[in-house]
Amino acid sequence: MAMKKQKRLELGDFQTASAAASLSQKIVLHPVDTVKTRLQYLRLTSEVEFKDPAVHVMQFIRAEGLSGLYRGVATSLIGAIPVSMVYMPSYEVTKRSLPEDMPPFFRHLTAGSVAGVCGTLVRTPVDLIKKRTQVGVYSSAWEALTVTVGNGGSIFALWGQAQASFLYDVPYNMVQFTILEQVKVAGRRLKQGRELEGWENVAVGALTGMLTSVMTEPLDVVKTRLMTKMGYTSWLDAFRRTVTEEG
């Protein structure tokens, strides 16, 4: 009985820590996410914009003010809670449930893929509404929600681009958790077995996020294009046309 209670407490700790980290990240980094999403959405047809995306960013800020950088933040914050309840816990539970003799690399890869699937099921509606609000397809999250559901005929329309989410989120999480665990192991070796300190964990997280984003950015671009309704017929069509038209 004591063992079961301890497991529940550990799961609750993961959920609480994941929710706190996610909310903090959304508040601080949402403007960066907005800029990234708008640049991914934008068709860079003019020579000026292609050479200097900062021109578009400054035009956007002048037109909408700094508050425009927080378009969709309410949706992001509301969605952070349910996503946090399943994302990190699913990774940790899966990792601990796998055979002890499984090589660490494959353990982290498998647990990361499960976390990606679980997180995507919850995250897809949030991302859909957030992105369509960020790029200005709809003027508010409520308009994005009601029109998307109305046009789709049911609440399941919010999962209409689940394919794009899975094809980005699952590989992202597989790469992210695998890199994270490997970097942490390397860090402990450098410290001769001692645990990493607070600032060192921050550095590990930053390095992991940077490497993962660089490796999966093409998939993120395609996901954004599909979620913001740019007339593509499928994920493959979006990928092919983006590469053909923009390189």
Side-chain angles (χ1 to χ4, degrees):
M1 294 294 291
M3 185 178 295
K4 288 184 178 178
K5 184 177 180 181
Q6 182 63 28
K7 277 190 175 181
R8 284 198 297 269
L9 288 173
E10 288 182 356
L11 179 61
D13 289 340
F14 282 123
Q15 290 173 324
T16 302
S18 179
S22 182
L23 287 170
S24 301
Q25 178 206 26
K26 302 298 183 189
I27 292 171
V28 175
L29 296 180
H30 190 82
V32 177
D33 183 59
T34 298
V35 170
K36 180 196 74 169
T37 302
R38 290 186 70 93
L39 289 176
Q40 289 175 337
Y41 172 78
L42 181 68
R43 287 185 175 277
L44 301 176
T45 52
S46 81
E47 201 64 26
V48 174
E49 288 176 335
F50 180 79
K51 289 183 176 179
D52 189 7
V55 171
H56 168 73
V57 175
M58 295 309 299
Q59 290 174 343
F60 167 61
I61 293 175
R62 280 196 292 268
E64 301 194 26
L66 291 176
S67 61
L69 295 174
Y70 281 91
R71 273 178 168 270
V73 69
T75 304
S76 189
L77 292 175
I78 293 171
I81 301 300
V83 172
S84 300
M85 294 299 102
V86 299
Y87 180 56
M88 280 302 297
S90 65
Y91 173 74
E92 291 295 335
V93 169
T94 302
K95 187 171 68 171
R96 296 179 183 187
S97 302
L98 293 171
E100 293 185 4
D101 59 350
M102 176 180 281
F105 177 84
F106 293 106
R107 176 188 296 269
H108 303 144
L109 201 66
T110 303
S113 65
V114 172
V117 171
C118 294
T120 299
L121 290 172
V122 182
R123 187 186 293 114
T124 296
V126 177
D127 272 355
L128 188 72
I129 299 303
K130 175 178 71 75
K131 287 180 181 293
R132 291 182 179 182
T133 306
Q134 282 177 316
V135 302
V137 172
Y138 300 112
S139 60
S140 67
W142 179 250
E143 182 186 4
L145 175 64
T146 53
V147 173
T148 300
V149 173
N151 289 343
S154 74
I155 193 70
F156 293 106
L158 296 174
W159 281 268
Q161 293 300 336
Q163 180 192 39
S165 293
F166 279 117
L167 288 172
Y168 166 69
D169 291 342
V170 174
Y172 182 94
N173 284 282
M174 292 172 67
V175 173
Q176 178 190 47
F177 284 116
T178 302
I179 292 177
L180 175 64
E181 298 290 357
Q182 297 303 313
V183 173
K184 285 166 65 176
V185 169
R188 293 191 191 101
R189 285 177 180 169
L190 289 174
K191 297 192 66 175
Q192 299 179 337
R194 296 192 304 275
E195 288 297 319
L196 300 178
E197 298 177 7
W199 71 270
E200 292 169 327
N201 281 312
V202 171
V204 167
L207 176 62
T208 300
M210 180 181 67
L211 293 174
T212 307
S213 295
V214 169
M215 294 172 69
T216 60
E217 180 64 14
L219 300 176
D220 192 24
V221 172
V222 175
K223 174 185 173 182
T224 296
R225 297 285 173 85
L226 282 166
M227 284 194 160
T228 48
K229 296 172 65 175
M230 295 183 67
Y232 301 111
T233 58
S234 66
W235 187 93
L236 187 60
D237 179 49
F239 183 84
R240 180 184 57 80
R241 286 171 55 185
T242 298
V243 172
T244 301
E245 296 169 6
E246 301 176 31

